[in-house]
């Protein structure tokens, strides 16, 4: 066979199974892109929001509705929260008898209830802002998915995928924690014949030492744990949905800058110069929109994230103390909920910080020397404005980030070691 013919034959087939595998992966990747492009980004976002609003409706706090008002479900949830505080205080008063350790143990789950109160307050007091931002985000998806550049739709779909995955992970953590607390306590009670309460409070007038009283108390504890986990997840969903949209703002800005750079390469006519200037103004408006979005999120969530991080840290310390001094077997599962609960908002804060830094870096990616002097002055103005990236403040003094959570973790470790030494004495 001639050499040229042999080369043509060799080039028509993969030279190894490795290359064949690479080609198959490429084909699957192309099919995946085509499938995603056939799905509208706004439909994906609306599908996620239907799930979010269904969960929020289950606890009576669909604050995405501008006409939100208290319903029977809302009143029931508020009544359960009030009942927890009243029954816990009565139980402490009955069981205290100089045992100060029980008072600390009984307050182990109070931090989660305080978080629920903070989330209810945030949702009810910010109904107008929450609903307006929801409409704004929906408009972002419906507007940019119509762009001729397919990368806009891909960026929106990627954002939906990240949001869906984050919501699922947080939901699984709550579900595993709540079901774990219930199953472990119930199974331990059945197998050992000894009562292991899921929570610490007792029902007034019911003796937990009797079989009927014990299971009646356990049943009420199960209802409180399930509704409590669902309520906490509802509050987290609101902040997750909004802070995860920082990916959309950052990715859209990157595409706008790419378009500006393409326009700036050829400004040999007045029409093209005007088009590049209009794109510069478009980028500046988009940056202002993002800045206002972060400011609104900070106004809504700054108190909530401060309460969540501080109460989670305190509850971690109290739970460790309870595990060391009592037989609260459900505390192990509760501890596994508290740790990701404390880090959740800090991770979201880090995501927000990274996207804000991406805004600043994209400003530097503008082809500065391809612009005319007036356009260059405008870019310098935007660079100055982008030097202070938006962030949510923790306790009003430090940015919400994973580094802040690590500082809190160090404090928890120090307090735990002091507490362990105290108990040993």
């Amino acid at each position: 066979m001639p050499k040229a013919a042999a080369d043509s034959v060799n080039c028509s087939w993969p030279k190894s199974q490795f290359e064949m595998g690479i080609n198959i992966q490429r084909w699957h990747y192309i099919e995946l892109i085509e499938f995603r492009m056939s799905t509208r980004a706004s439909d994906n976002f609306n599908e996620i929001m239907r799930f979010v609003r269904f969960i929020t409706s289950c606890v009576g706090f669909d604050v995405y509705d501008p006409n939100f008002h208290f319903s029977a479900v809302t009143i029931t949830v508020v009544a359960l929260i009030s009942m927890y505080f009243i029954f816990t205080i009565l139980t402490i008063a009955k069981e205290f008898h100089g045992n100060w350790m029980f008072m600390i143990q009984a307050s182990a789950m109070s931090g989660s209830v305080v978080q629920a109160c903070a989330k209810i307050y945030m949702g009810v007091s910010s109904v107008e802002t929450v609903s307006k931002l929801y409409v704004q985000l929906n408009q972002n998806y419906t507007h940019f998915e119509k762009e001729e550049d397919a990368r806009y739709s891909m960026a929106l779909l990627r954002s939906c995928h990240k949001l869906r995955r984050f919501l699922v992970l947080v939901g699984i953590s709550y579900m595993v924690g709540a079901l774990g607390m219930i199953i472990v306590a119930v199974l331990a009670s059945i197998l050992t014949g000894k009562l292991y309460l899921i929570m610490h409070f007792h029902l007034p007038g019911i003796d937990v030492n009797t079989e009927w009283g014990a299971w009646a108390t356990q049943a009420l504890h199960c209802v409180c744990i399930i509704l409590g986990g669902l309520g906490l997840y509802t509050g987290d969903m609101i902040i997750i949905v909004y802070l995860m949209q920082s990916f959309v703002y950052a990715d859209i800005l990157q595409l706008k800058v790419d378009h500006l750079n393409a326009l700036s390469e050829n400004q040999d006519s007045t029409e093209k110069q005007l088009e590049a200037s209009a794109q510069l103004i478009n980028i500046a408006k988009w940056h202002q929109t993002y800045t206002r979005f972060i400011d609104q999120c900070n106004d809504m969530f700054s108190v909530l994230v401060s309460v969540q991080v501080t109460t989670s840290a305190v509850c971690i310390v109290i739970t460790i103390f309870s595990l060391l001094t009592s037989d609260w077997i459900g505390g192990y599962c509760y501890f596994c909920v508290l740790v990701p609960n404390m880090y959740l908002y800090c991770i979201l804060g880090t995501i927000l910080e990274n996207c804000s830094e991406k805004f600043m870096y994209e400003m530097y990616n503008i082809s500065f020397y391809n612009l005319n002097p007036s356009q260059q002055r405008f870019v310098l103005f935007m660079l100055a404005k982008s030097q202070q990236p938006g962030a949510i403040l923790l306790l009003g003094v430090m940015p919400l980030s994973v580094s802040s959570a690590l500082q809190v973790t160090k404090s928890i470790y120090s307090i735990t070691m002091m507490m362990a030494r105290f108990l040993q004495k």
Side-chain angles (χ1 to χ4, degrees):
M1 181 182 294
K3 182 178 180 181
D7 291 339
S8 63
V9 172
N10 290 335
C11 292
S12 62
W13 294 94
K15 295 181 181 180
S16 64
Q17 293 182 353
F18 176 74
E19 292 183 4
M20 183 180 293
I22 292 177
N23 288 335
I24 291 174
Q25 290 179 355
R26 288 174 179 172
W27 295 334
H28 285 308
Y29 180 70
I30 293 173
E31 290 176 356
L32 178 63
I33 291 178
E34 290 177 350
F35 169 76
R36 288 185 174 180
M37 291 303 296
S38 64
T39 306
R40 296 175 56 189
S42 59
D43 292 338
N44 275 263
F45 181 69
N46 289 328
E47 180 182 352
I48 294 172
M49 292 308 299
R50 279 194 295 270
F51 168 73
V52 171
R53 297 190 66 175
F54 169 75
I55 298 297
T56 55
S57 298
C58 289
V59 294
F61 285 96
D62 184 13
V63 293
Y64 297 97
D65 184 2
N67 298 320
F68 165 78
H69 58 276
F70 273 40
S71 63
V73 179
T74 312
I75 296 173
T76 302
V77 172
V78 175
L80 284 174
I81 293 175
S82 303
M83 179 199 68
Y84 169 82
F85 283 114
I86 294 173
F87 287 178
T88 299
I89 293 173
L90 293 176
T91 302
I92 293 175
K94 182 179 69 172
E95 301 290 336
F96 182 63
H97 298 308
N99 184 10
W100 60 270
M101 288 188 178
F102 179 81
M103 181 177 64
I104 298 177
Q105 295 163 4
S107 59
M109 301 190 70
S110 300
S112 296
V113 184
V114 172
Q115 292 176 17
C117 294
K119 291 173 182 179
I120 291 174
Y121 173 77
M122 181 273 296
V124 173
S125 63
S126 306
V127 171
E128 183 178 358
T129 305
V130 171
S131 57
K132 285 183 178 179
L133 286 180
Y134 172 51
V135 173
Q136 176 183 327
L137 297 180
N138 208 353
Q139 290 175 348
N140 289 341
Y141 280 87
T142 55
H143 172 72
F144 288 107
E145 70 180 2
K146 297 176 183 178
E147 293 286 342
E148 295 181 359
D149 191 346
R151 293 181 299 170
Y152 281 91
S153 294
M154 289 301 300
L156 296 174
L157 288 170
R158 282 197 305 270
S159 174
C160 289
H161 175 67
K162 293 174 183 176
L163 176 59
R164 182 183 290 109
R165 184 170 56 184
F166 207 101
L167 289 172
V168 169
L169 288 175
V170 175
I172 290 175
S173 69
Y174 275 114
M175 182 176 65
V176 171
L179 294 180
M181 291 181 66
I182 295 172
I183 293 173
V184 169
V186 172
L187 286 180
S189 300
I190 294 174
L191 295 176
T192 62
K194 179 183 177 182
L195 177 62
Y196 289 95
L197 290 177
I198 302 172
M199 304 174 74
H200 289 90
F201 70 83
H202 301 167
L203 294 176
I206 296 180
D207 187 3
V208 295
N209 296 319
T210 63
E211 183 177 359
W212 178 86
W215 289 113
T217 304
Q218 291 284 52
L220 181 60
H221 288 180
C222 290
V223 173
C224 292
I225 288 293
I226 293 173
L227 288 180
L230 194 62
L232 292 175
Y233 183 43
T234 297
D236 290 342
M237 290 175 104
I238 297 176
I239 189 171
I240 291 172
V241 166
Y242 287 136
L243 294 190
M244 289 293 287
Q245 298 308 308
S246 55
F247 285 113
V248 174
Y249 285 96
D251 291 340
I252 295 300
L253 177 71
Q254 181 180 0
L255 296 175
K256 288 178 178 290
V257 170
D258 290 345
H259 182 52
L260 173 64
N261 291 337
L263 293 174
S264 63
E265 290 178 357
N266 187 10
Q267 298 192 68
D268 53 359
S269 65
T270 304
E271 181 180 354
K272 293 182 179 179
Q273 290 181 1
L274 292 175
E275 188 176 358
S277 299
Q279 183 65 12
L280 264 177
I281 296 174
N282 191 2
I283 292 174
K285 289 182 178 179
W286 186 247
H287 183 257
Q288 289 177 345
T289 301
Y290 176 72
T291 302
R292 286 194 297 269
F293 174 77
I294 298 302
D295 290 340
Q296 289 175 311
C297 288
N298 190 35
D299 292 339
M300 284 193 301
F301 303 138
S302 59
V303 175
L304 174 60
V305 297
S306 299
V307 171
Q308 173 113 347
V309 174
T310 53
T311 54
S312 295
V314 172
C315 285
I316 288 174
V317 174
I318 296 177
T319 301
I320 294 174
F321 176 84
S322 300
L323 294 176
L324 293 175
T325 58
S326 68
D327 56 357
W328 183 34
I329 195 169
Y332 294 97
C333 296
Y334 183 57
F335 178 81
C336 295
V337 173
L338 288 174
V339 175
N341 202 20
M342 184 181 72
Y343 273 85
L344 169 63
Y345 289 177
C346 296
I347 292 173
L348 290 172
T350 299
I351 291 174
L352 182 63
E353 276 190 347
N354 293 337
C355 290
S356 297
E357 290 179 358
K358 185 177 180 180
F359 259 77
M360 181 178 63
Y361 293 147
E362 288 302 325
M363 295 297 180
Y364 284 103
N365 287 334
I366 295 176
S367 299
F368 185 79
Y369 293 104
N370 291 335
L371 304 175
N372 60 42
S374 62
Q375 294 170 343
Q376 289 177 348
R377 288 192 295 270
F378 195 83
V379 171
L380 292 175
F381 174 76
M382 289 194 298
L383 284 172
K385 291 294 184 181
S386 65
Q387 295 304 306
Q388 296 179 348
I392 294 181
L393 297 179
L394 178 61
L395 298 175
V397 294
M398 57 193 304
L400 182 68
S401 64
V402 174
S403 60
S404 301
L406 292 176
Q407 295 296 326
V408 175
T409 304
K410 291 179 182 178
S411 301
I412 293 174
Y413 176 78
S414 301
I415 296 173
T416 303
M417 291 298 100
M418 293 173 57
M419 182 174 59
R421 293 193 188 97
F422 173 76
L423 293 176
Q424 288 177 355
K425 296 179 181 180

